[in-house]
Amino acid sequence: MLLSMASWVAFACVYEPNLQFFPYYAVDYSQGFVRRGLGGEILDLFPADRYFTGLLILRWLMPALFGVGLAAVAWTVAVRFGHSERRLMLALLTAVLPLGFVHAVMLPTPDLLGEAALAVFAVVLASTKSDRSLPVASGIYGMTTAMLTLIHEAVPFLQALGAVLAIVVLAHGSTRMRRLSGVLAVGPGLAVALAVALLRRQDVSSHCGRLPHRAVRWAPGPAPSGEHAYVDYHDWTCRFITVTTRKTPLIGPDQIGGGPLIMSTMAGVFVLALTMVVIRGISGVPFGRFRQAVRGWLSSVTLAALLLLPVYATSADWTRWWIAVSFDVGVVYLLYVSREPESARSATGRTRVWFAVAIVFFALSPIPAAVNTEQSVRGLLSRCSQLVNDPMWVGICP
């Protein structure tokens, strides 16, 4: 497993270009309140002559912090509720599930910070037995999410479902206290997201002056060649931030068609279902018990799930959002089953086989997914003359 993780890190270092992740830190608050300005403020902490060093550090800081959150979940599952073979299997599985390590390394976007915060929040709720600590932990998580919204505005929408599920399933407390805690956990981030939507400065072209010129690898591979193997960082990033901030992208049938979105939805539902089935098979805890724990809170859970709609409506990367949903539900489910009595029982031979198959499958499945993604992007490159001014697709064009 460690070899597989190290291989993906090496692959990302050698093969994957980082340019698409750099625009998250391209603007700051020096010329007014803008979307994702906090990321630029963090980059400003680095000296001007270390600009690209700072970008690389931030690129790898995202999966590193996500890994810390995931490690906290794995440790809690394996140790906190008592030692058992099933719990150790679940802990080891955490790294290779679709909600895990490879996704963070290959797609190091700042919304990973929201997932890391959710993981720590869920661990705290699962480990604490005091009722009084619930609103305190929820308030701290809510303020953290509000701050992270200034780095990526999708964070409160993507993690609302996970936060509500964690409070409903993992926390102790009265109905009133849990409802209050839900508001404290979700409300601050949504308030900041609304402020960003209403108050932000839309034209950020003036920030182009702070972007340095440098040839940056755009095409994948250790030493790409060809017309667009390298692009000028200033020109590419300036175009990207200008196009993506002047208007909010909304998915229309004339942009992408229904086929890719349907395929992404099918793939995402499969990822979510497979995640739950594997966790249930190894833990031995019936999924119906988890469903029973949610019963009585369906309105709150449904409302949290509906908060995902703005994210789906403004980005065609639906598979990525389904993985975020799998993370929300999967982390809570993992912590829930790890403290149930079935997970303390000895593993059967069938469970060990199921674990081995799952480990191999999840370790290898990112390979065809990466190949399919690259082929899909190559198919769109021929349409860059039409897509280069589209805020939803400008990032795939050189």
Side-chain angles (χ1 to χ4, degrees):
M1 183 181 299
L2 292 177
L3 179 61
S4 173
M5 295 168 67
S7 299
W8 280 108
V9 171
F11 177 82
C13 291
V14 174
Y15 187 82
E16 185 181 49
N18 296 317
L19 178 61
Q20 286 81 358
F21 310 120
F22 289 168
Y24 287 104
Y25 316 103
V27 298
D28 59 17
Y29 295 133
S30 61
Q31 301 181 47
F33 185 63
V34 293
R35 185 184 67 163
R36 302 178 183 176
L38 184 56
E41 292 292 330
I42 296 174
L43 180 61
D44 289 343
L45 297 176
F46 294 89
D49 59 345
R50 293 289 184 268
Y51 183 90
F52 289 97
T53 301
L55 284 175
L56 285 175
I57 289 175
L58 291 174
R59 182 259 184 262
W60 286 103
L61 183 63
M62 298 302 113
L65 293 176
F66 175 84
V68 171
L70 211 59
V73 173
W75 182 88
T76 304
V77 169
V79 177
R80 180 65 177 81
F81 308 109
H83 297 274
S84 75
E85 188 177 358
R86 288 180 186 267
R87 287 169 177 156
L88 180 59
M89 290 178 181
L90 291 171
L92 293 173
L93 195 67
T94 304
V96 295
L97 283 172
L99 54 89
F101 182 78
V102 175
H103 166 65
V105 168
M106 299 305 295
L107 199 65
T109 52
D111 53 283
L112 289 174
L113 297 177
E115 297 181 358
L118 175 62
V120 174
F121 178 57
V123 165
V124 170
L125 296 189
S127 305
T128 305
K129 296 182 180 181
S130 173
D131 296 353
R132 297 179 181 179
S133 63
L134 175 57
V136 176
S138 299
I140 293 174
Y141 170 77
M143 295 307 296
T144 302
T145 302
M147 181 185 66
L148 295 178
T149 305
L150 298 175
I151 301 178
H152 197 296
E153 67 282 357
V155 167
F157 301 97
L158 291 174
Q159 268 63 69
L161 178 59
V164 170
L165 281 175
I167 291 171
V168 169
V169 175
L170 301 176
H172 301 276
S174 64
T175 299
R176 180 182 177 184
M177 183 176 292
R178 285 194 277 181
R179 285 176 178 169
L180 172 62
S181 299
V183 174
L184 291 174
V186 178
L190 295 180
V192 173
L194 180 62
V196 170
L198 296 179
L199 304 177
R200 68 184 175 94
R201 180 178 179 179
Q202 292 188 319
D203 186 1
V204 298
S205 57
S206 58
H207 286 261
C208 292
R210 68 189 294 268
L211 304 175
H213 289 272
R214 179 174 173 176
V216 177
R217 180 160 60 99
W218 180 84
S225 59
E227 182 181 0
H228 299 299
Y230 292 84
V231 298
D232 182 79
Y233 172 78
H234 172 280
D235 296 347
W236 189 92
T237 305
C238 180
R239 183 187 68 196
F240 181 91
I241 63 175
T242 301
V243 171
T244 56
T245 55
R246 280 181 176 170
K247 67 174 183 176
T248 300
L250 292 175
I251 295 177
D254 57 334
Q255 290 176 307
I256 185 173
L261 298 180
I262 292 174
M263 293 299 295
S264 294
T265 299
M266 292 175 61
V269 171
F270 174 77
V271 167
L272 174 60
L274 186 62
T275 299
M276 305 300 285
V277 167
V278 169
I279 294 174
R280 184 257 177 268
I282 294 176
S283 68
V285 179
F287 186 74
R289 192 180 302 167
F290 181 77
R291 190 170 61 246
Q292 184 69 27
V294 178
R295 185 171 297 177
W297 295 89
L298 289 180
S299 58
S300 299
V301 173
T302 301
L303 181 60
L306 289 176
L307 290 175
L308 291 162
L309 293 181
V311 181
Y312 280 86
T314 55
S315 173
D317 198 1
W318 283 17
T319 303
R320 173 182 165 190
W321 308 136
W322 276 107
I323 291 176
V325 174
S326 298
F327 183 89
D328 281 11
V329 181
V331 164
V332 176
Y333 189 42
L334 259 175
L335 291 168
Y336 174 79
V337 301
S338 65
R339 66 184 190 183
E340 292 297 294
E342 287 86 351
S343 63
R345 297 173 183 171
S346 299
T348 64
R350 181 179 180 181
T351 303
R352 296 186 184 98
V353 171
W354 181 247
F355 170 73
V357 171
I359 284 287
V360 173
F361 176 81
F362 283 124
L364 297 178
S365 59
I367 298 176
V371 172
N372 179 68
T373 299
E374 183 174 340
Q375 290 177 345
S376 299
V377 171
R378 285 182 178 178
L380 290 170
L381 290 180
S382 60
R383 298 176 53 196
C384 271
S385 59
Q386 304 169 356
L387 301 177
V388 72
N389 292 315
D390 189 320
M392 190 171 295
W393 300 104
V394 61
I396 70 169
C397 297

